[in-house]
Amino acid sequence: MRRLITLTLALTAVATAQTTKVGMVYDAGTKFDKSFNQSAYEGSQRAQKELGVSVTDFEPGSYGAIPGQLQKFAAEQFNLVFGVGFANNKDITEAATANPKGYYALIDDVSSNTSNVASVVFKEEEGSYLAGYIAALTSSTGVIGFVGGMEVPLIYKFAAGFKAGARAANPDIKIYSRYVGKTPEAWNDPATAYRLADTLKKQGADIIFAAAGASGRGVISYVQATQCVKASDLPGGVTFTSNNFASLKKSAAYTKACAGNTRPMFFIGVDANQNYLGDFDKNPATMNHGLTSMLKRVDNAVYAIIKTVTADRFRGGEIRFGLKEGGVGYAVDEYNRALLPTEITRQVEQQKNRIIRGLVRVPSK
């Protein structure tokens, strides 16, 4: 019995010593932002469950705290450390250079260190193209809006793809864009995003795509508060051109607030599937206000990079995820299936296939 206990303890010690240690340094906002950070977190949790790795999270209160945490990860001999978000590029690159035997991964930007940093970037413009295509096909006013977070090239990619897709579906569509700010605080400012959504609605927008991190909650809150566009509130030159959702069952709150000549408002989610956030009455049988979500599969990318480490196949350098690689897409589920009839999804899938085959080239700026 003593020998059995000793053997068991020895095996446990070996297993613990061999456990892959993964550090996650998140972007501005919170780990549970229901968007970018949370998608990365979910990928790490999948790896923890399926691959047996150990994951340690770090949510920086300020960017100044990140270098110290990276030094701590290095001192504790973490096998792989993620910097989630382009703002982590400098710190991840410096940490990787100072610790050449460690493995690092950067999400959403390309590090100058290609030896031990895997730089994961996405073709956000391709997924946003499909979101814009859907918005233009379903808009009741012929006006749609875009709310970006921080004014940086990454978010311009979202906007460029969204506009291109919308114009491919309807050359006469009007598209207005607004940005939360020019500093990292723009990722976590839902109050400003709420006000921007109000500005877009006053311009006639009935569908708003938010690519703004945690600030996107402000757009969702605005849609929840207003629920619809009233004919009497439309600006000059804008009229209702369709009534695609007339036959859908509405919530009691919607019916009360949106009587008369009105059309529903929708948001388009980003990064993670945020469709469920449009179920304002907690009843999927009534009309949802999340038209779709532009999926950016950060979770898949995080899981894939961790798996390369556990399989001893890690490679530094740039890795791109687009429609072809399953890195971006759009969400259809029980919450929004009634909003996207077969004819619309058929057209969207045609566009998706054309992009994958190289017949449609989506602009990134």
Side-chain angles (χ1 to χ4, degrees), residues 106-111 117-126 153-154 157 296-298 300-301 304-305 315-328 362-364:
L106 178 65
I107 305 294
D108 253 4
D109 205 1
V110 179
S111 170
V117 180
S119 298
V120 179
V121 288
F122 297 83
K123 296 180 180 179
E124 293 91 354
E125 68 275 13
E126 292 184 352
L154 171 65
K157 289 169 66 179
K296 182 173 172 179
R297 300 306 302 267
V298 179
N300 286 349
I305 296 298
R315 294 289 183 274
E318 182 178 326
I319 306 170
R320 286 193 173 271
F321 288 85
L323 283 175
K324 184 177 181 179
E325 297 78 18
V328 296
V362 182
S364 59

Side-chain angles (χ1 to χ4, degrees), residues 130-131 133-139 207 244-245 248 266 268 275 288 290-293 330-333 335-346 348-349:
L130 300 183
Y133 200 88
I134 291 170
L137 289 180
T138 55
S139 174
I207 299 171
N244 296 321
F245 310 104
L248 296 186
F266 300 96
I268 294 177
N275 292 352
N288 192 62
L291 183 62
T292 187
S293 295
Y330 67 103
V332 179
D333 57 18
Y335 291 101
N336 72 330
R337 192 166 286 110
L339 304 175
L340 303 179
T342 303
E343 177 56 26
I344 286 181
T345 55
R346 184 189 65 80
V348 176
E349 285 298 310

Side-chain angles (χ1 to χ4, degrees), residues 201-202 229-236 238 240 259-263:
K201 177 176 175 287
K202 288 176 179 176
V229 177
K230 299 179 179 180
S232 57
D233 293 334
L234 291 174
V238 178
F240 291 140
N261 191 12
T262 65
R263 299 292 187 274

Side-chain angles (χ1 to χ4, degrees), residues 55-71:
V55 179
T56 300
D57 296 321
F58 180 69
E59 298 178 80
S62 68
Y63 286 110
I66 292 176
Q69 182 61 41
L70 291 175
Q71 291 175 8

